[in-house]
Amino acid sequence: MNLARLRIYPNELEARLAEGLLLEAGIGSVVRPELGGYGLWGQNQFTLHGLWVLDSQQEEARAVLEGDC
């Protein structure tokens, strides 16, 4: 199982919103902070966050987030 970064969001809130939309569609995802993560600056939700999905579900996830389904 390989993960692929689907998108980068400007903050954790937007990434978590997208994560919820995917979860409602039955697609699991992971939100990870970019630029060093939580340990470097403490927990900062206002830094860039990536949304990761299984490589095999990329197309389906993109369709959900773009409103094509």
Side-chain angles (χ1 to χ4, degrees), residues 15-26:
R16 295 286 178 195
L17 177 63
E19 179 186 40
L21 293 172
L22 292 179
L23 185 59
E24 288 179 5

Side-chain angles (χ1 to χ4, degrees), residues 4-68:
R5 184 171 56 206
L6 193 63
R7 291 188 181 164
I8 295 178
Y9 290 90
N11 56 56
E12 184 178 10
L13 180 63
E14 290 184 41
R16 295 286 178 195
L17 177 63
E19 179 186 40
L21 293 172
L22 292 179
L23 185 59
E24 288 179 5
I27 301 170
S29 60
V30 176
V31 173
R32 294 183 189 171
E34 303 286 326
L35 305 173
Y38 294 120
L40 186 60
W41 295 300
Q43 187 171 1
N44 187 351
Q45 66 270 21
F46 300 110
T47 61
L48 298 174
H49 281 69
L51 180 66
W52 298 72
V53 297
L54 288 175
D55 193 40
S56 61
Q57 293 183 310
Q58 278 190 75
E59 290 182 31
E60 184 180 357
R62 286 185 199 282
V64 169
L65 295 179
E66 293 171 4
D68 293 341

